[in-house]
Amino acid sequence: MECPHLGSSVCIAPASARFPQGSPSSWCCSVCRSNKSPWVCLTCSSVHCGRYVNGHAKKHYEDAQIPLTNHKKTEKQEKVQHTVCMDCSSYSTYCYRCDDFVVNDTKLGLVQKVREHLQNLENSAFTADRHRKRKLLENSSLNSKLLKVNGSTTALCATGLRNLGNTCFMNAILQSLSNIHQFCCYFKELPAVELRNGKTAGRRTYHTRSQGDNNVSLVEEFRKTLCALWQGSQTAFSPESLFYVVWKIMPNFRGYQQQDAHEFMRYLLDHLHLELQGGFNGVSRSVILQENSGLSASNKCCINGASTVVTAIFGGILQNEVNCLICGTESRKFDPFLDLSLDIPSQFRNKRTKNQENGPMCTLRDCLRSFTDLEELDETELYMCHKCKKKQKSTKKFWIQKLPKVLCLHLKRFHWTEYLRNKVDTYVEFPLRDLDMKCYLLEPENSGPESCLYDLAAVVVHHGSGVGSGHYTAYATHEGRWFHFNDSTVTLTDEETVVKAKAYILFYVDRQAKSGSDKL
């Protein structure tokens, strides 16, 4: 939106402003010392935390307005309002009086000058940090051992994702998807889409909530993010352009509060699927799908319209079988799915660690069995029997009619009690290789010997006690090595560490699909 308060609030000049030392994205709030979501006041250059941390940036604005309520306010007090601030990570400008992000600038272009100054400070700090890490890497014998693969020392080519203010939920999902080879390659090979034309072509776009949806492309920003990963040219990439497109088209994720990684993944895949049903620069989606990913049309699972790479990779089909307990009438329905949400059986919910002695270990197979076993529906889920002409008690059972190339399993760790949403912190044992799904198939006799075997590609972990708090990280395998992705930090790890993780989302790749992608 166009803000009318910039002239009276933007009073600092970058050359004379006394900014803190270090990179702007890691500046600390002058009140609580938090380095999450730092915002700088464009009146006095003081740094405070955003409204979704402890809200000291907003309090700074509110405190500055107290003298303005006095009828004897001076001209100086009227001009200096402290109403506009800038996000030090994404460089977006926010006005508290307008209560929205703004896109205009002062007549002298002060907002853009501050933005460019902060970017220069960030780049300088990033370059210095990169040189420091490179020097440590060269001088550290420990790191040399960690990076020794097949007898030769290799560089750590993985790239982290900067946290833009409680965006670890997004980073963990993006890193996981970037390590699903066939899915990632499809987007990386798409032709680039120019979002802006004419005078603004080539200039960086700062997406805000006030801009129209027609000038943003989730597919394009997702493609750019995936291309930035695994190049080895930088230690961390800032996905702010993708994040603000997410703000535009997924209102649930606006702001800087912690979000549910599984919910974000579903929204992301659904919106990618919807956008991919269009075309790119005059090239039809179906042509790109076949040329770039090698996926045949017969293999695609259709969800909400035409099939795309999303449904071709993640799409499976469930058979929902319901039987009336009064007359025995059987009803069958086929439901497409992109992931399966599995309950952790109640008898295992007190077992928090792998080595705890109280009872048997909960395994992923226990969760799958609980999902597919025959169950009697309770009184709140009575089945409308067409033969009995009324709602009757019934049983329900799921079969998998078609397995996907990538099997995404979501463990339901968060559940609602009477007043709040609790977390099930139970450790669930899961295999790194040879997850056999044949026994859950509707027609297992029609599957090949290895068509039901899956190997783990990535796992998302939630650390903490609640869905609105805590922290997300991800483990993923790339070219035979396991990496731990913790926002900007990427480290090599081992299989023993991965299997001890309390998984929240698991990504398993079909062994046949994996073999096929290795040959591409």
Side-chain angles (χ1 to χ4, degrees):
M1 59 161 289
E2 298 284 332
C3 172
H5 310 113
L6 295 183
S8 58
S9 292
V10 182
C11 307
I12 60 174
S16 60
R18 297 180 179 178
F19 292 119
Q21 297 294 317
S23 61
S25 62
S26 62
W27 285 348
C28 294
C29 172
S30 59
V31 178
C32 65
R33 308 309 299 168
S34 171
N35 62 355
K36 293 183 177 179
S37 186
W39 288 32
V40 60
C41 175
L42 297 189
T43 299
C44 62
S45 74
S46 59
V47 178
H48 297 88
C49 58
R51 64 171 63 194
Y52 295 112
V53 184
N54 292 315
H56 288 124
K58 185 178 182 182
K59 190 174 187 304
H60 172 70
Y61 153 71
E62 292 171 343
D63 291 345
Q65 307 314 302
I66 294 175
L68 298 182
T69 60
N70 192 329
H71 292 293
K72 297 181 180 180
K73 58 190 176 184
T74 66
E75 184 180 349
K76 183 178 180 181
Q77 286 175 324
E78 187 174 0
K79 286 184 178 180
V80 181
Q81 296 180 2
H82 302 265
T83 62
V84 180
C85 52
M86 182 177 288
D87 187 327
C88 298
S89 297
S90 64
Y91 314 120
S92 296
T93 310
Y94 191 89
C95 176
Y96 280 104
R97 289 187 66 183
C98 297
D99 194 25
D100 204 347
F101 287 92
V102 299
V103 295
N104 57 317
D105 203 340
T106 65
K107 292 181 179 179
L108 298 176
L110 289 179
V111 173
Q112 183 59 25
K113 289 179 181 178
V114 173
R115 178 179 290 131
E116 291 173 353
H117 186 66
L118 294 186
Q119 286 178 309
N120 290 334
L121 291 176
E122 184 75 27
N123 292 337
S124 299
F126 175 65
T127 302
D129 183 60
R130 187 175 166 190
H131 285 314
R132 181 183 62 82
K133 289 183 178 179
R134 183 178 296 170
K135 190 172 182 180
L136 286 173
L137 186 63
E138 291 172 352
N139 296 335
S140 172
S141 59
L142 175 61
N143 282 348
S144 296
K145 291 178 182 177
L146 284 174
L147 299 178
K148 189 167 287 187
V149 180
N150 297 328
S152 61
T153 302
T154 60
L156 186 67
C157 59
T159 299
L161 287 168
R162 290 198 181 101
N163 194 313
L164 306 178
N166 287 325
T167 56
C168 55
F169 68 93
M170 177 178 75
N171 292 346
I173 294 298
L174 292 176
Q175 293 287 15
S176 299
L177 295 178
S178 76
N179 285 283
I180 297 174
H181 180 78
Q182 211 170 2
F183 184 72
C184 179
C185 284
Y186 169 81
F187 286 94
K188 288 166 67 174
E189 293 172 8
L190 283 177
V193 177
E194 294 297 329
L195 300 181
R196 306 290 292 268
N197 298 312
K199 294 181 180 179
T200 56
R203 289 177 55 185
R204 187 173 182 180
T205 305
Y206 295 89
H207 300 296
T208 71
R209 289 180 294 174
S210 61
Q211 290 178 306
D213 289 347
N214 59 345
N215 68 334
V216 298
S217 168
L218 180 64
V219 170
E220 173 67 359
E221 295 304 333
F222 186 67
R223 181 193 70 82
K224 289 178 182 177
T225 302
L226 293 182
C227 287
L229 301 177
W230 295 108
Q231 290 184 343
S233 57
Q234 53 186 334
T235 57
F237 173 75
S238 185
E240 71 266 11
S241 295
L242 173 62
F243 188 43
Y244 283 108
V245 172
V246 168
W247 276 32
K248 286 298 301 178
I249 63 179
M250 306 179 201
N252 301 30
F253 299 97
R254 289 176 182 170
Y256 295 96
Q257 67 270 43
Q258 184 63 280
Q259 301 280 1
D260 185 349
H262 174 251
E263 184 180 2
F264 171 75
M265 182 197 74
R266 285 306 312 269
Y267 271 87
L268 177 68
L269 292 179
D270 286 345
H271 281 277
L272 287 173
H273 170 64
L274 289 173
E275 192 173 316
L276 282 168
Q277 291 181 59
F280 294 90
N281 291 343
V283 182
S284 75
R285 174 210 46 81
S286 58
V287 172
I288 298 171
L289 181 65
Q290 292 176 17
E291 288 184 354
N292 288 357
S293 66
L295 300 171
S296 65
S298 60
N299 254 340
K300 291 175 287 197
C301 172
C302 201
I303 300 174
N304 295 331
S307 59
T308 67
V309 68
V310 175
T311 53
I313 297 290
F314 292 96
I317 299 175
L318 281 176
Q319 177 179 289
N320 185 355
E321 192 174 282
V322 180
N323 283 277
C324 176
L325 291 176
I326 306 302
C327 69
T329 299
E330 183 180 273
S331 173
R332 294 179 181 177
K333 186 174 69 170
F334 291 96
D335 297 316
F337 68 88
L338 294 178
D339 70 313
L340 299 178
S341 291
L342 311 177
D343 280 306
I344 297 175
S346 56
Q347 66 267 31
F348 297 110
R349 291 191 178 181
N350 292 324
K351 191 172 180 61
R352 296 180 178 271
T353 65
K354 184 175 182 180
N355 299 320
Q356 200 169 327
E357 297 297 332
N358 58 337
M361 175 75 65
C362 180
T363 67
L364 186 60
R365 186 169 291 277
D366 291 319
C367 300
L368 284 164
R369 190 181 298 116
S370 174
F371 178 78
T372 56
D373 275 354
L374 185 72
E375 65 169 316
E376 185 173 336
L377 300 176
D378 59 33
E379 295 291 333
T380 62
E381 299 179 294
L382 292 178
Y383 162 65
M384 182 64 188
C385 179
H386 298 292
K387 186 173 181 180
C388 298
K389 305 292 185 187
K390 62 178 181 179
K391 291 185 176 181
Q392 301 282 30
K393 287 187 175 181
S394 56
T395 60
K396 179 181 72 173
K397 181 173 175 59
F398 284 121
W399 294 96
I400 298 177
Q401 196 267 341
K402 175 186 176 296
L403 282 165
K405 293 180 181 297
V406 174
L407 178 65
C408 180
L409 301 176
H410 161 236
L411 298 179
K412 295 161 73 172
R413 292 197 173 273
F414 301 105
H415 66 98
W416 287 101
T417 61
E418 187 176 357
Y419 300 106
L420 69 156
R421 201 177 186 187
N422 285 338
K423 181 182 178 183
V424 179
D425 208 28
T426 301
Y427 172 77
V428 177
E429 188 176 53
F430 55 90
L432 293 181
R433 301 175 190 84
D434 302 325
L435 174 65
D436 193 349
M437 296 294 294
K438 181 174 286 189
C439 60
Y440 309 108
L441 276 178
L442 181 63
E443 299 174 343
E445 65 277 2
N446 294 334
S447 59
E450 284 200 341
S451 61
C452 301
L453 291 179
Y454 286 81
D455 297 326
L456 188 67
V459 53
V460 174
V461 181
H462 177 268
H463 312 266
S465 57
V467 66
S469 60
H471 183 60
Y472 287 98
T473 65
Y475 294 94
T477 179
H478 184 82
E479 296 181 351
R481 294 181 291 173
W482 280 96
F483 293 84
H484 183 213
F485 298 91
N486 183 4
D487 287 335
S488 298
T489 305
V490 182
T491 54
L492 276 169
T493 188
D494 51 41
E495 293 184 351
E496 289 74 18
T497 302
V498 176
V499 296
K500 291 178 183 177
K502 292 181 181 178
Y504 182 46
I505 306 172
L506 296 148
F507 296 88
Y508 281 95
V509 178
D510 176 76
R511 187 167 294 172
Q512 286 186 332
K514 183 180 178 182
S515 300
S517 66
D518 291 340
K519 296 174 183 177
L520 292 178

